[in-house]
Amino acid sequence: MASYHLSVKTIKRSAGRTATAAAAYRVGVRIECQREGRVHDYTRKQGIEETFILTPKDAPDWASDRSRLWNEVEASETRRNSVTAREWELALPSEISAEDRSRITRDFAQELVSRYGVAVDVAIHAPHREGDQRNHHAHVLTSTRKLEAGGFTTKTRVLDFAKTGGVEIEQMRGLWAELQNRALERVGEVERVDHRSLEKQRETALDRGDKLSAEELDRDPELKLGPAANSMERRAKVMAERQGREYVPVTERGAVVHAARQARAAFREMRERLDIARETYGIEREAGQGRVSAGLAALRAATAKDRDGRTPDDIRERLSQVVGRSRDKDDTPKPEGRNYARERLKEIMEKDAGRDGQAAVHKLDGHGEYNLGEDTGREARKPSVNERLKDVLNKPRKKQEIEEERDQEKERDIDRDPGLSH
């Protein structure tokens, strides 16, 4: 799934850093810092897919020389605590090609040049060989002064001041989201990224009536692992893969992040199955089927083997694990602390329990709920959608095959659903 990341950091002398060292490391080259008299050699660095420099139209010719460029940056700053460069770190979508990743990164870098008049040095990195293979990213290093015909001039204070800096960065974050979404659309991807906070995204989902998305977004931002924990978790994943076993987090932070990702994956899976059910229901209704028959067909479609090759048993097991349950009702102690994503997921899965089945089917048709009367008891009504779903999942194979054969007497030429069993 496409994810959004853009962070802005500064290269400060007060922290013992230099623009020459930062550029050499990110691009993987050798640069001699004339101000310090040190050589920064990172020519053995691997995983660098592409590098390029962009400058304003009237920039001097020497700006295309990386070593000269960043030595001039250092020379233009005279204070001991100067901010010599600014780095924009970008996550690139793994769903698009390397050419498209290069294209959107170049477009973003060009906007920095046009907007602020700075020099920009870009390095696109491949995923680490032992890490997540979707982690394509780019390091965009910019000067903090404008580059004109005579060299570096005034500071780009618009990015430094409290009143304007946040606004400028937010606008650039929006541009980066837009560039990624255009690229995803070009290759036919459904997923989109969003640069806004989870709270803002949730408000938008509620405004358009998408309660399921709002529930999914009602969570805390994902915890940042940090270099040490990330390295430990990466090694644990590699070891689990080599041994052919399931990955188990080895740090507390890793466990929190892993649980959150599992919950989000379960939400996405529920959305996919809900979409399948709604689509099937609409097709059945257009074909002249009644609401109950169309609803049952929708339930069968939602629980059938999906595109990923997973069976309903696989889905049931995965969802039960996410909400803290298992088919064998395992009582193994769970880690302390509440997992709000799991609790909300469980509520969503069980919220239809006790409702009238026909009301739930009516809801599938895109209408609001209608009143069936307070006197309608469980025995006097039809089973709910949730009850039907559980019945389908838990019904013995033989019994289900008999019932399905009865339902498909008029369609003998269609393959019979083998059914589900424990």
Side-chain angles (χ1 to χ4, degrees), residues 371-389:
N371 185 15
L372 295 173
E374 297 181 358
D375 296 334
T376 304
R378 184 178 180 88
E379 298 179 356
R381 62 172 176 77
K382 297 179 180 179
S384 69
V385 171
N386 191 49
E387 292 167 357
R388 293 180 186 177
L389 179 57

Side-chain angles (χ1 to χ4, degrees), residues 352-371:
D352 281 336
R355 294 184 182 179
D356 183 82
Q358 194 168 359
V361 173
H362 183 70
K363 194 173 182 181
L364 275 175
D365 200 16
H367 305 292
E369 296 187 27
Y370 55 93
N371 185 15

Side-chain angles (χ1 to χ4, degrees), residues 24 59 64 67 92 120 168 322:
S64 59
S67 179
L92 300 171
V120 179
E168 289 291 324
V322 171

Side-chain angles (χ1 to χ4, degrees), residues 44 70 96 106 118 121 175 185 196 199-200 227 238 260 271 277 279 320 331 334 376 390 403:
R44 299 180 65 181
W70 293 109
I96 63 179
R106 187 176 290 271
V118 295
D121 194 356
L175 171 65
E185 184 178 6
R196 299 172 301 166
E199 183 179 356
K200 290 292 184 182
V238 172
R271 288 184 64 87
E279 182 179 357
S320 65
D331 294 327
K334 303 297 186 297
T376 304
K390 290 181 178 179
E403 292 189 3

Side-chain angles (χ1 to χ4, degrees), residues 164-208:
T164 58
V167 175
E168 289 291 324
I169 291 175
E170 185 65 17
Q171 290 182 0
M172 294 305 299
R173 286 174 57 83
L175 171 65
W176 181 234
E178 183 179 350
L179 290 171
Q180 290 183 83
N181 287 332
R182 288 177 185 173
L184 290 167
E185 184 178 6
R186 284 195 295 268
V187 297
E189 286 289 335
V190 178
E191 296 291 344
R192 296 293 183 268
V193 298
D194 199 321
H195 69 287
R196 299 172 301 166
S197 66
L198 292 173
E199 183 179 356
K200 290 292 184 182
Q201 294 180 50
R202 184 173 183 272
E203 291 176 359
T204 301
L206 288 173
D207 289 341
R208 66 171 182 265

